[in-house]
């Protein structure tokens, strides 16, 4: 029997019976083992996600086991543990024609513009399944969010020895910090939640800052960088104020990577600062196959485990409580996983 999670409207999460999926040509039948609750899923639950529509099956951070697969040249076969590339692109628009499928103008991400993966069974195109190369199921569920962070850090061209500031110590910010460290940077993290900053320190951040006021923030940036500003700032929150932080904190000639998603705009932004400081501002959306492959390799080599990121795991039957708890206690929770029935 198949079951899925449904958010019919903000604030309501249901577990319902669902039709058993029947794979089409080129699709594999997979069983979901673990799913992570993304910030976008939480936004859909709260009614704050910019791309949300209802009713919606959430979820795109997945660890799946292949039950059956058509003959293919990609090595996808029965029993393989895999992650899923959840960004569906049209193949015809300008970015698709130029190899930038991650920012397709008609993009449909699972759990956002189309139904997601919080279902016991799914049908997935074989080319969207990537072997997790021996990573455990809980680690496999972290690959996709890791790719979101990794793609943004890679877009900004982080180099060894550079001072990098990650704004936001949620899952994406924490994984951005780890990605920037992977590229050899000296990485700092700021947030409004002291508990999350303690975790950032434990994971290797060079320094942290409780972002309590613009004046204190400016003083800390100057003191930390000798007045230069950071070579790279990474916005991983999705608020007008944190984007302003990213622009203010970056050095002249530096780079800003914007990963966070917001429904609100930044009023009275003095865009002349972009010209004056000659900064490069990089938008970062989704990820590409190469990011998945590189992140899997990085996770294997560095031994980054789920215990470093996952703070809470709920059984599938308790998924409504998982959303409610995460919404109410987000400052004390980092990555939340849902364990699907065996």
């Amino acid at each position: 029997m198949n079951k899925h999670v449904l958010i019919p409207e903000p604030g309501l999460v249901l577990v319902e019976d669902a039709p058993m999926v029947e794979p089409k040509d080129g699709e594999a039948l997979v069983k979901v083992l673990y799913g992570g609750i993304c910030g976008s899923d939480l936004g859909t639950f709260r009614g704050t996600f910019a791309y949300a529509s209802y009713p919606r099956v959430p979820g795109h951070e997945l660890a799946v086991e292949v039950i059956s697969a058509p003959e293919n040249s990609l090595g996808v076969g029965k029993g393989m543990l895999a992650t899923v590339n959840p960004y569906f692109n049209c193949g015809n628009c300008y970015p698709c024609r130029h190899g930038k499928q991650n920012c397709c103008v008609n993009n449909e991400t699972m759990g956002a513009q189309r139904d997601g993966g919080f279902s016991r069974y799914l049908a997935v195109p074989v080319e969207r399944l990537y072997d997790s190369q021996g990573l455990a199921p809980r680690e496999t569920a972290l690959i996709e969010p890791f790719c979101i962070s990794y793609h943004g850090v890679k877009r900004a061209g982080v180099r060894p020895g550079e001072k990098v500031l990650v704004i936001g110590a949620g899952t994406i910010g924490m994984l951005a910090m780890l990605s920037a460290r992977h590229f050899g940077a000296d990485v700092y993290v700021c947030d409004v939640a002291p508990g999350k900053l303690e975790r950032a320190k434990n994971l290797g951040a060079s320094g942290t800052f409780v972002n309590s006021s613009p004046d204190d923030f400016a003083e800390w940036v100057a003191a930390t960088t000798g007045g230069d500003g950071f070579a790279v700032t990474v916005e991983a929150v999705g608020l007008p104020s944190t984007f302003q932080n990213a622009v203010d904190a970056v050095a002249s000639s530096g780079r800003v990577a914007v990963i966070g998603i917001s429904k609100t705009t930044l009023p009275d932004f003095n865009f002349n600062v972009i010209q004056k400081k000659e900064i490069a501002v990089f938008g970062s959306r989704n990820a590409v196959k190469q990011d998945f492959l590189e992140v899997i390799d990085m996770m294997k080599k560095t031994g980054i485990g789920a215990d470093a990121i996952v703070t809470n795991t709920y059984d599938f039957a308790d998924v409504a409580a998982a959303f409610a708890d995460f919404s109410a206690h987000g400052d004390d929770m980092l990555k939340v996983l849902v364990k699907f029935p065996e």
Side-chain angles (χ1 to χ4, degrees):
M1 178 184 294
N2 198 16
K3 288 182 177 289
H4 67 203
V5 177
L6 186 72
I7 302 178
E9 61 187 50
L12 182 61
V13 177
L14 305 175
V15 176
E16 297 186 336
D17 291 337
M20 187 59 191
V21 293
E22 296 185 6
K24 300 174 184 176
D25 289 346
E27 291 183 335
L29 176 66
V30 304
K31 178 171 68 175
V32 179
L33 305 179
Y34 282 92
I37 297 180
C38 176
S40 60
D41 298 321
L42 188 60
T44 299
F45 173 72
R46 290 172 167 170
T48 59
F49 181 45
Y51 305 133
S53 60
Y54 304 89
R56 179 62 65 221
V57 176
H60 53 255
E61 302 176 358
L62 304 172
V64 304
E65 178 187 347
V66 177
I67 302 302
S68 64
E71 187 173 339
N72 64 87
S73 61
L74 301 174
V76 177
K78 182 178 179 179
M80 188 178 84
L81 179 63
T83 186
V84 178
N85 182 332
Y87 326 117
F88 285 74
N89 61 294
C90 71
N92 299 314
C93 66
Y94 179 86
C96 282
R97 297 197 311 271
H98 289 80
K100 300 288 187 179
Q101 294 87 353
N102 60 299
C103 44
C104 169
V105 298
N106 302 303
N107 172 78
E108 291 187 356
T109 297
M110 293 171 64
Q113 296 90 350
R114 64 164 57 199
D115 280 339
F118 274 26
S119 179
R120 290 189 68 185
Y121 296 96
L122 296 172
V124 180
V126 291
E127 69 270 13
R128 293 186 170 276
L129 292 167
Y130 308 142
D131 190 341
S132 59
Q133 300 290 326
L135 294 174
R138 293 173 78 236
E139 277 75 38
T140 299
L142 297 178
I143 294 170
E144 190 276 339
F146 218 139
C147 288
I148 294 291
S149 302
Y150 182 87
H151 182 80
V153 169
K154 189 176 176 182
R155 283 269 292 153
V158 171
R159 297 187 287 267
E162 289 187 314
K163 281 192 173 181
V164 174
L165 172 62
V166 176
I167 301 172
T171 299
I172 297 303
M174 210 72 77
L175 296 175
M177 183 270 289
L178 291 171
S179 297
R181 288 190 70 233
H182 171 73
F183 285 111
D186 187 15
V187 193
Y188 296 76
V189 182
C190 72
D191 198 282
V192 297
K196 289 186 175 180
L197 294 176
E198 282 300 315
R199 183 174 291 270
K201 287 181 183 177
N202 293 336
L203 288 175
S206 297
T208 61
F209 177 71
V210 179
N211 195 2
S212 55
S213 76
D215 289 342
D216 289 346
F217 177 73
E219 290 180 10
W220 175 78
V221 169
T224 303
T225 65
D228 290 338
F230 288 92
V232 177
T233 58
V234 180
E235 198 291 316
V237 179
L239 292 174
S241 60
T242 48
F243 173 72
Q244 185 70 63
N245 286 157
V247 172
D248 292 343
V250 76
S252 289
S253 77
R255 291 101 70 200
V256 177
V258 181
I259 304 176
I261 300 171
S262 178
K263 287 185 72 171
T264 56
T265 58
L266 180 62
D268 302 321
F269 174 61
N270 181 12
F271 65 86
N272 194 53
V273 68
I274 297 174
Q275 180 273 332
K276 182 179 179 181
K277 294 171 75 171
E278 198 180 68
I279 59 177
V281 181
F282 295 90
S284 179
R285 187 174 191 187
N286 300 335
V288 297
K289 180 178 180 179
Q290 189 60 33
D291 296 321
F292 280 84
L293 301 182
E294 291 175 10
V295 163
I296 291 168
D297 186 62
M298 176 177 64
M299 290 180 70
K300 288 175 57 184
K301 288 180 177 177
T302 60
I304 297 170
D307 290 343
I309 303 297
V310 177
T311 55
N312 305 80
T313 301
Y314 290 78
D315 287 334
F316 182 73
D318 299 322
V319 66
F323 274 91
D325 291 350
F326 199 10
S327 182
H329 306 292
D331 285 353
D332 300 317
M333 302 167 73
L334 192 57
K335 174 48 59 188
V336 176
L337 293 185
V338 176
K339 186 178 187 298
F340 283 70
E342 296 182 1

